[in-house]
Amino acid sequence: TPVQLYIEMGHVHSFYREVDRANAMFQKAQQLSGLHTELTGVLGVRTEHQSFKTAQLTLVTKSVLPAEPFQEPQAGARLRMIQSEDCNILQRPSQRNLVFKEVDPSEEAASNNLAHLDQSVLLSLCLNVRNNNPHHGLTGREMLAYVERVMLCTNLP
């Protein structure tokens, strides 16, 4: 498809450090796929011990491509928490009170899934953020918003 072609051309330009050309290719791929993205902030918490909400960078997407059907990789529900060495860390900002319960992945799939092509475009835009900004913590946080949005999808290949 033309979107895949522009993504590949963008990666080639990125490899040769032609940042402006790579940016143009990734933007064209996004335009052709019909994916709309917006970086925004939400108030939320990242750990169970955090007593106040702080601004968290998130990526809001809207796609015109239909998402591929949900395929559960393993039977059963999953938890929304991951265990870290020193504290429990949420995979994404929580805007409500922390309730640790099992969730049915198929219920989340309807609202979170993107087409695989859109996921590729988002990861290409993430690479573009790295190439266009200096290497420091703020760049990493901006890239994290793109990666977290892709990880929300339960139809990952």
Side-chain angles (χ1 to χ4, degrees), residues 138-154:
L138 294 177
T139 301
R141 288 291 178 187
E142 188 174 349
M143 290 172 60
L144 182 64
Y146 287 91
V147 174
E148 282 179 340
R149 179 59 188 98
V150 172
M151 293 302 292
L152 278 178
C153 299
T154 54

Side-chain angles (χ1 to χ4, degrees), residues 25-104:
M25 295 296 125
F26 293 145
Q27 294 298 325
K28 185 69 173 173
Q30 180 182 7
Q31 178 187 2
L32 288 175
S33 72
L35 178 69
H36 301 283
T37 60
E38 179 185 2
L39 273 174
T40 186
V42 296
L43 285 177
V45 296
R46 285 265 184 194
T47 68
E48 66 178 2
H49 305 293
Q50 190 175 345
S51 60
F52 56 92
K53 296 180 179 182
T54 59
Q56 307 285 336
L57 189 63
T58 60
L59 183 72
V60 178
T61 59
K62 183 175 181 183
S63 177
V64 296
L65 296 176
E68 284 79 7
F70 170 74
Q71 295 177 356
E72 187 172 348
Q74 56 194 14
R78 62 181 178 170
L79 293 177
R80 289 189 183 196
M81 293 291 295
I82 56 174
Q83 184 70 31
S84 180
E85 290 180 12
D86 55 357
C87 67
N88 291 325
I89 300 174
L90 292 172
Q91 291 178 350
R92 61 181 183 268
S94 174
Q95 296 176 325
R96 52 189 176 274
N97 294 336
L98 295 177
V99 177
F100 304 107
K101 63 177 183 176
E102 291 188 357
V103 294
D104 182 14

